Amino acid sequence: MKRAIVWTLAVLAGLTASTGMGVARAASATPGDPCAVPESVYSVDGALPRAWERLKRGGALPILVLNSASARPDTAYPMLLEKELAARLPDRKVSVTVRNAPGATAQEMLPILNRELAASSASLLVWQVGTADAMRNIGPDSFGEALGRGIAAAQGRGADVILMDMQYSPQTSQLITFQPYLDYVEWMSQNSDVVHFPRFEMMRHWFEEGRVGFAPDSKEEKLQAYQFVHRCLGRILADTVSTMIDRAGRPAP
């Protein structure tokens, strides 16, 4: 069973290389922007008060990315996110640490989450969740309980949280029921002071708009798609983080 889960995760990772990601704010997208998504799919909502407080005190912006995929190269979105934010915050040290837990459910990631937050003192956690839970048919209530524990642990250590849901492909969506897990991520974001980054809906939007394909014919096409995906995703998160930090620093109306 575990081998099948890891194999499917590898397939999903390959699909990432042949799909596009969307820009965080539809209003900020230029005409013809291939990364653009409508506000009905995603718009920045909320703030990052914990990250803002540390920056306000003259501190750094350490970010922890936790996911259930295999190791990613330096061209993947976390490193691009670091470069984007470093350019936008030139007077602050920005660092992104990636920890992979291949095939792990949200519950199984909790010890890693606690250990890495303690080691990195991150002020922002980007937690990719839902894929392994849906594949292993973990009860949605158990999934939600694990999310709640992880969110509480992160916030208790002074970190804001962005929940990134799973990838979309028409093939896997026919085989795996993702919707209950997507619903739980959205519910948690509305009730736990965290941000939901809807990767699944973004990817579905590009596919349905005919902007991306899922099976490039050549290695060169796969590489180009991979670079496009992660470049867009890094920009999305950079837009999201910088906008929400700025929002947290504004005086209340």
Side-chain angles (χ1 to χ4, degrees):
M1 178 66 176
K2 185 175 182 180
R3 179 179 298 176
I5 291 168
V6 172
W7 179 86
T8 307
L9 285 169
V11 172
L12 288 171
L15 290 174
T16 304
S18 58
T19 53
M21 311 303 295
V23 70
R25 291 171 291 170
S28 69
T30 57
D33 182 356
C35 296
V37 296
E39 291 186 0
S40 59
V41 171
Y42 182 54
S43 61
V44 178
D45 185 21
L48 299 175
R50 297 165 184 83
W52 160 249
E53 283 297 324
R54 186 177 298 189
L55 289 170
K56 185 175 68 173
R57 297 195 301 267
L61 179 59
I63 300 171
L64 172 64
V65 176
L66 178 62
N67 64 63
S68 60
S70 301
R72 298 172 183 268
D74 290 342
T75 55
Y77 83 82
M79 298 302 101
L80 298 173
L81 169 65
E82 182 178 276
K83 292 178 182 178
E84 285 271 350
L85 287 175
R88 301 179 193 210
L89 300 168
D91 58 340
R92 293 288 187 272
K93 177 177 175 55
V94 178
S95 61
V96 176
T97 301
V98 181
R99 290 295 177 262
N100 303 293
T105 65
Q107 177 67 37
E108 292 167 346
M109 282 193 272
L110 290 179
I112 303 171
L113 183 152
N114 281 286
R115 182 178 68 245
E116 295 300 331
L117 283 174
S120 66
S121 298
S123 59
L124 174 60
L125 168 67
V126 178
W127 191 8
Q128 297 178 202
V129 295
T131 301
D133 291 85
M135 288 167 48
R136 290 165 61 173
N137 200 28
I138 301 297
D141 289 342
S142 297
F143 171 67
E145 181 181 355
L147 287 186
R149 292 174 59 191
I151 291 168
Q155 292 177 340
R157 290 186 176 276
D160 293 306
V161 180
I162 295 176
L163 295 177
M164 181 186 293
D165 61 31
M166 64 286 290
Q167 302 174 63
Y168 169 80
S169 83
Q171 294 86 355
T172 54
S173 294
Q174 291 177 1
L175 300 173
I176 303 172
T177 303
F178 287 119
Q179 197 58 51
Y181 307 91
L182 293 165
D183 291 342
Y184 244 114
V185 172
E186 177 62 21
W187 187 88
M188 293 299 295
S189 72
Q190 294 181 8
N191 292 275
S192 301
D193 190 28
V194 301
V195 177
H196 176 198
F197 189 89
R199 176 170 56 165
F200 186 91
E201 290 298 333
M202 291 179 184
M203 293 177 69
R204 177 154 62 184
H205 172 76
W206 287 295
F207 176 75
E208 292 177 349
E209 288 289 306
R211 299 185 192 178
V212 294
F214 287 89
D217 294 328
S218 69
K219 290 183 179 180
E220 182 179 356
E221 288 177 328
K222 289 181 180 179
L223 176 60
Q224 291 174 350
Y226 178 89
Q227 293 172 337
F228 174 78
V229 165
H230 290 278
R231 182 169 62 248
C232 287
L233 184 52
R235 196 181 85 194
I236 289 171
L237 286 176
D239 283 347
T240 298
V241 172
S242 59
T243 297
M244 290 193 296
I245 286 176
D246 178 68
R247 187 174 293 161
R250 295 176 187 172

